[in-house]
Amino acid sequence: MMRIRAILSVVTLLAWSPPAVRAQYEVDTAGTGALIREAMDRSEVMANLRYLADVIGPRLTGSPAMRKANDWTVERFREYGLETRLEPWQFGVTWVRGSASLRILAPFARNLAGQSWAWTVGTGGKLLAGPVVRIDASTRDSIAAYAGRVRGAWLLLRSPFPIWNPDGPPMTAADSVAMAERRRQLFPPPADTSEEGRKARQQFAVDRPYLLRRAGALGILTDGAKEHGLLTMSGSPNAVSPLPNLVIAHEDYALFDRLIGVGITPRIEARVENRLGGTPVTQWNTVAEIVGSQWPGQVVIVGAHLDSWDLGTGVTDNGAGSMVVLEAARIISRSGLRPKRTIRFILFSGEEQGLLGSRAYAAAHAGEADSVQAVLVLDNGTGRVTGQALQGRDELEQLWHDLLAPVASLGASNVRQANKGGTDHLAFVPYGVPAFNYDQEPRGYNHTHHSQVDTYDHAVGPDLQQASAVMAVTAYELANLSNLLPRGARTPVSVPVVIKPSPGLAR
C-alpha cells in the first residue's frame, strides 16, 4: 500500500510538472493562419530562386557574383518593406577557377573529367604528365618514406571513398554497418583529442602539400566521393595549397586504385589554370529586419548562407535556404502582422569556407548575444521542413512542439533530441544563444551538395513554399513569446585563423 501511494505521488508530480514548464513558454499562435496562406497561396520563392541561380549564378565568396548577390538581395528585402544593410567582414584571399584538362595516358587513353579543389594553384600553364601513385601521407615520416616514389607523380593519398553501388541490390543492415566501418577506417577519430593535438593536426594539414611539393610531386588527385561522376568541391583561403589538387570522379579514382593494387601503374596528364589573390578582401553579409513593436532591442535571427560552390549554381546549397529566408521576410511583412521583437534576416557569406561570415557576425555582435531570442537556420537542401533538432537544448522540446503546431498539418511536426553540425547556427552556440538548424527531407541533397548538378532543376517548389511557411511562423511566434529563452552554456569561441606553413616550407 505504501508503494502504491509512492507511485501515485510520483505520477501526480509528473502530471503537474509539465504544465508549469509549458506555461513558461506559452506560444501565441494568433496570426499564423495568415502567414501560412501568404506562403502557400502567393509565394515568390521560386521566382527569386530562379533569378539567383540562372542570372546571378554560382556565388563563390570573394567573387564579383557574390557581391552581385549581396546587392540584389538588399534590393529585394527593401522592395518587401524591410530595413536593409550590408555588414562587412574580412575574408582571406580570392581564388578564381580556370580551365582544367585531364587525360588518361595508360593503360589506355581517354579524357578524364575533373576540377581543381578550391584555393589550390594550377600547373603554371604546363601540361604535367606522370604516373599515378598511392602513398601514405598521414605523417611527416610516412611522406619521407615514400620520397622515392613521389617525384614526378600524381598522388592518391587515401583509399577510395566507400560507395554503395546504386545499380545493385538494396543495402542490408549488415551492409550498412560494414560501410560505416569502412568510412570510420578511412577517416579515423584522432588519437590525441587535446588542444595541442588539434593544433598539430591543423598545422600538418597545411604543411603536407608543401612537403609533397618539396618532394617533387606533380599534384594530388582527390576522390569525388559520389557516384555517377559527380564531384564534391571544397577548400578554403585558410589553407591555400601550393600544389595542384584535382577532384576526379569516384569511378576513375577507384579505377586507379584497383590498377595500382594489381601492379599496373596508371599515367595521366593535366593542365590547370587558376588564379590566387595576394591580399585579404572585404566581404559582406546581407542583413534586413522587421523592427519589433514592443521589444525592438530583442531579436530573432533567421538565416541561411548566400555563398555557394561554383561547379553548379548553388541552388540546394544554399540558394534554396537563402530564398526561403527572403520569402519568410516577405510573408511577415506582407501579412501586416507586427512582431513584438525584431526579426532579423541574415544571408551569410563565407559559410562554405568554414562559417566565416556567420562567425564574423557573431563576434562583432557578441555584446548583444543575451538579447537574441534564438537563431533559426535553413541549410539542408530543397526539401520541406520535417521538424527541429534541439541542438542540446532538450528542455525546449515542448516549446518546439508548440511552435510547430500551426504547421504540423504541412508535415513539420517532428522534434528530436539531436545536434546538427556544418552550418551557420553553430557560430552562435558558443555565446549561449539558442540556435537551431531545421530538419528537412533530403530530396537528393547528398548528390547535389557541392556538385556540378546543384542547379535549379533540382529545386522542389512545394517544399520550399512549405519551408517558408514554417520559418515565418516559428520566427514570428518566437518574436512574440512573453519572455526570452534561457541562455545556454558559454564556451570558448574558436576564431578561424590562417595557419601558415612551417618555416622553410613556403619557399
Side-chain angles (χ1 to χ4, degrees):
M1 191 67 174
M2 290 294 292
R3 186 183 178 193
I4 293 174
R5 285 176 180 167
I7 292 172
L8 288 174
S9 296
V10 171
V11 170
T12 302
L13 179 61
L14 290 174
W16 173 84
S17 297
V21 173
R22 184 167 181 167
Q24 187 179 359
Y25 307 117
E26 187 171 347
V27 174
D28 181 1
T29 61
T32 57
L35 298 175
I36 294 169
R37 288 191 295 275
E38 185 67 34
M40 305 307 289
D41 298 341
R42 291 177 286 277
S43 177
E44 296 184 16
V45 67
M46 292 301 285
N48 284 328
L49 181 59
R50 186 166 58 247
Y51 185 90
L52 178 70
D54 292 352
V55 179
I56 296 178
R59 304 165 301 282
L60 193 65
T61 303
S63 70
M66 184 64 227
R67 179 55 196 259
K68 186 175 180 180
N70 283 134
D71 292 339
W72 176 73
T73 51
V74 162
E75 290 307 311
R76 293 302 284 162
F77 277 121
R78 284 178 180 163
E79 288 170 9
Y80 294 150
L82 277 71
E83 299 180 9
T84 311
R85 61 187 180 275
L86 293 180
E87 291 201 9
W89 59 279
Q90 285 302 110
F91 183 59
V93 298
T94 58
W95 181 78
V96 179
R97 182 185 304 281
S99 61
S101 61
L102 296 80
R103 186 169 176 80
I104 300 176
L105 302 176
F108 53 82
R110 69 165 167 83
N111 290 336
L112 274 172
Q115 294 286 352
S116 285
W117 194 256
W119 278 273
T120 63
V121 300
T123 62
K126 300 176 182 178
L127 185 65
L128 301 183
V132 178
V133 175
R134 192 174 76 186
I135 70 167
D136 177 0
S138 59
T139 67
R140 290 174 180 269
D141 290 342
S142 66
I143 291 175
Y146 281 92
R149 302 180 61 191
V150 166
R151 184 166 298 278
W154 288 92
L155 306 178
L156 308 183
L157 304 185
R158 295 183 184 274
S159 298
F161 189 79
I163 289 179
W164 187 259
N165 181 2
D167 301 315
M171 185 182 293
T172 66
D175 294 328
S176 180
V177 170
M179 288 286 285
E181 176 58 21
R182 287 177 60 194
R183 290 173 181 174
R184 191 198 67 79
Q185 292 174 0
L186 192 62
F187 302 101
D192 183 355
T193 58
S194 67
E195 179 65 14
E196 291 75 15
R198 184 185 68 83
K199 289 180 179 178
R201 289 191 296 275
Q202 285 183 322
Q203 185 64 61
F204 177 69
V206 170
D207 286 347
R208 181 164 60 183
Y210 289 88
L211 293 167
L212 294 173
R213 183 186 66 168
R214 174 177 283 186
L218 297 182
I220 297 168
L221 299 179
T222 293
D223 188 348
K226 299 179 188 286
E227 64 269 38
H228 299 311
L230 297 174
L231 305 179
T232 301
M233 184 51 55
S234 193
S236 172
N238 290 353
V240 172
S241 173
L243 197 64
N245 185 345
L246 301 177
V247 184
I248 62 174
H250 167 77
E251 292 84 352
D252 290 327
Y253 191 96
L255 166 66
F256 293 158
D257 184 73
R258 290 195 302 273
L259 289 171
I260 291 168
V262 296
I264 299 173
T265 301
R267 289 182 60 84
I268 71 165
E269 64 180 15
R271 178 185 285 115
V272 184
E273 303 289 343
N274 296 325
R275 191 167 71 249
L276 277 165
T279 58
V281 297
T282 299
Q283 290 297 280
W284 297 267
N285 297 319
T286 303
V287 181
E289 58 188 28
I290 299 172
V291 178
S293 61
Q294 190 166 335
W295 305 295
Q298 297 177 10
V299 179
V300 174
I301 292 177
V302 180
H305 71 89
L306 187 58
D307 65 301
S308 77
W309 287 112
D310 59 334
L311 298 187
T313 54
V315 171
T316 65
D317 189 20
N318 185 29
S322 292
M323 295 303 95
V324 166
V325 170
L326 177 62
E327 176 70 356
R330 185 196 70 81
I331 290 165
I332 297 172
S333 180
R334 293 279 171 85
S335 73
L337 299 170
R338 184 79 180 275
K340 294 179 180 179
R341 290 181 181 84
T342 295
I343 303 179
R344 185 170 295 158
F345 304 86
I346 308 179
L347 303 181
F348 300 105
S349 53
E351 190 273 352
E352 297 291 8
Q353 291 72 48
L355 317 185
L356 300 182
S358 56
R359 288 183 178 184
Y361 178 91
H365 295 266
E368 306 165 18
D370 284 345
S371 64
V372 177
Q373 172 75 300
V375 174
L376 307 177
V377 165
L378 190 75
D379 186 16
N380 290 129
T382 185
R384 67 186 179 93
V385 172
T386 58
Q388 189 62 268
L390 292 171
Q391 202 68 33
R393 302 302 301 271
D394 296 350
E395 73 279 10
L396 302 179
E397 183 171 356
Q398 185 59 56
L399 170 65
W400 268 105
H401 279 295
D402 294 344
L403 292 170
L404 292 171
V407 289
S409 63
L410 300 179
S413 59
N414 185 52
V415 179
R416 63 191 182 104
Q417 296 181 3
N419 291 319
K420 297 182 70 175
T423 195
D424 292 304
H425 69 295
L426 296 180
F428 298 88
V429 172
Y431 299 93
V433 176
F436 308 93
N437 177 20
Y438 294 98
D439 284 339
Q440 294 175 256
E441 290 281 2
R443 302 294 194 224
Y445 184 59
N446 288 336
H447 298 97
T448 59
H449 166 265
H450 290 211
S451 83
Q452 63 269 41
V453 296
D454 190 3
T455 61
Y456 184 81
D457 311 78
H458 296 279
V460 180
D463 281 18
L464 294 180
Q465 287 180 258
Q466 183 261 20
S468 303
V470 174
M471 179 174 276
V473 164
T474 53
Y476 183 74
E477 290 172 326
L478 283 165
N480 288 343
L481 282 183
S482 59
N483 53 341
L484 278 171
L485 300 180
R487 303 297 89 181
R490 287 169 171 77
T491 58
V493 178
S494 175
V495 180
V497 295
V498 177
I499 302 175
K500 297 181 180 180
S502 297
L505 289 180
R507 293 194 299 272

